[in-house]
Amino acid sequence: MTPSPSPRTLEKLAAARRVAVLTGAGISAESGVPTFRGADGLWRRYRAEDLATPQAFARDPRLVWEWYDWRRQLIAKVEPNAGHLALARLEARCPDFSLITQNVDGLHPKAGSRRLVELHGNIWRLRCTAEQRTLVDARVPLPELPPRCPTCQALARPDVVWFGEALPQAVLEAAFEAAREAEVFLVVGTAAVVQPAASLPLTAKRAGAYVIEVNLEPTPISSSVDESLFAPAGEVLPLLIP
Ligand code: BJW
């Protein structure tokens, strides 16, 4: 049975003027997007070192692109779920709101979220490896692998953040500022192990936020938050945000 949020959690969320949310792969799981670390997670079948590092791309850009092109084809077929839609509703009624996502799938904007910080980039953008110019290319499948920059013909890469790469400074600052200023901080569907994203809920907590976690199972931050709700995000978020 889906756990009911406590009255205190519902009151905090209803009264808060400054709300920040951190989402991870779990929020898109019910749409049909694979997570990374779960039972059917991508990292059970593929090695991150072979596909999601700058070294892997330097070694074999075509292999890396085949994997991203496969994921793009999968994501192109799915729709936002009740969890994404609930967060878009929360944004519409909250004067100061930030949705910080680790996801690259673009399902939050598709659900109507606008005040969005994409920590790990976006799978629908390509970045020129020579001049760092980015462009949106939503063609599935891509006609040429690996794709090239249409302006200078240099190799293009997915505009995502791989292991060992720094997150864009402005994006990182916006996320930590939102965490420090939030009255309520909601953490949804993340294993909370990848840094620096995993530090955001604890930063918010230390700065005085009421922190609510939604996940299928306990995570390393569960013992530090104010309330954990262990159930699918697509069921819990509509209860939190009717
Ligand atoms: C549900 C659900 C449902 C399921 N409802 N819930 C400090 C200590 C140790 C290591 C480091 C450190 N600082 C940095 C590091 C290294 C590294 C790191 O964190 N490693 C750890 C794994 C140990 N971090 C980095 O390398 C980062 N870079 C960095 O710090 O650079 C520093 C630097 C500075 C200056 C110069 C150079 C460098 C970059 C991290 C980039 C992560 N990239 C990826 C791939 C993105 C592109 C792509 O998608 O292909 O991001 S990896 C992958 O993990 C992806 C995700 O965004 C990220 C997080 O995963 P997430 O969202 O938590 O998903 P899962 O699958 O792990 O969990 C899903 C959860 O949902 C589970 O808990 C389920 O239970 C739950 N769930 N269904 C609710 N229906």
Side-chain angles (χ1 to χ4, degrees):
M1 206 172 76
T2 309
S4 298
S6 68
R8 184 167 156 77
T9 285
L10 291 172
E11 279 160 24
K12 286 277 185 189
L13 199 50
R17 293 182 61 78
R18 292 192 302 278
V19 176
V21 183
L22 172 68
T23 63
I27 194 165
S28 295
E30 289 155 82
S31 292
V33 182
T35 62
F36 291 92
R37 295 172 185 80
D40 299 322
L42 293 168
W43 297 154
R44 296 283 166 123
R45 282 183 285 161
Y46 307 98
R47 278 161 39 94
E49 299 87 331
D50 293 340
L51 297 164
T53 63
Q55 293 79 9
F57 188 70
R59 218 168 27 239
D60 195 342
R62 188 181 165 86
L63 175 76
V64 170
W65 262 116
E66 280 171 355
W67 189 63
Y68 277 92
D69 199 43
W70 166 71
R71 286 174 61 201
R72 284 163 56 102
Q73 292 180 50
L74 198 153
I75 294 165
K77 294 196 189 90
V78 308
E79 292 298 328
N81 63 54
H84 297 103
L85 295 172
L87 294 180
R89 274 200 304 280
L90 183 59
E91 173 175 333
R93 70 182 198 207
C94 191
D96 188 340
F97 180 88
S98 298
L99 175 50
I100 307 158
T101 188
Q102 298 167 83
N103 299 345
V104 300
D105 56 30
L107 289 180
H108 283 305
K110 204 169 177 185
S113 292
R114 292 292 170 265
R115 279 176 269 166
L116 186 65
V117 178
E118 291 182 317
L119 283 179
H120 294 161
N122 189 300
I123 202 166
W124 301 110
R125 274 196 317 264
L126 276 52
R127 179 163 21 115
C128 170
T129 55
E131 291 165 354
Q132 309 309 320
R133 166 186 316 114
T134 60
L135 81 146
V136 172
D137 187 339
R139 290 176 294 173
V140 282
L142 282 164
E144 180 200 6
L145 292 184
R148 305 224 149 241
C149 170
T151 310
C152 72
Q153 301 309 312
L155 192 60
R157 58 165 282 178
D159 190 23
V160 301
V161 181
W162 286 322
F163 284 114
E165 292 187 313
L167 279 65
Q169 192 59 26
V171 162
L172 198 55
E173 278 168 16
F176 275 91
E177 190 184 336
R180 280 191 302 269
E181 291 184 354
E183 293 164 56
V184 169
F185 193 93
L186 188 54
V187 194
V188 184
T190 177
V193 294
V194 172
Q195 295 293 350
S199 297
L200 289 165
L202 303 181
T203 299
K205 182 73 196 151
R206 277 196 294 272
Y210 185 85
V211 181
I212 309 160
E213 175 183 47
V214 178
N215 202 303
L216 295 182
E217 58 189 29
T219 71
I221 62 162
S222 298
S223 58
S224 307
V225 305
D226 293 285
E227 180 161 23
S228 287
L229 295 156
F230 296 123
E235 293 175 21
V236 176
L237 290 178
L239 298 179
L240 283 171
I241 310 151

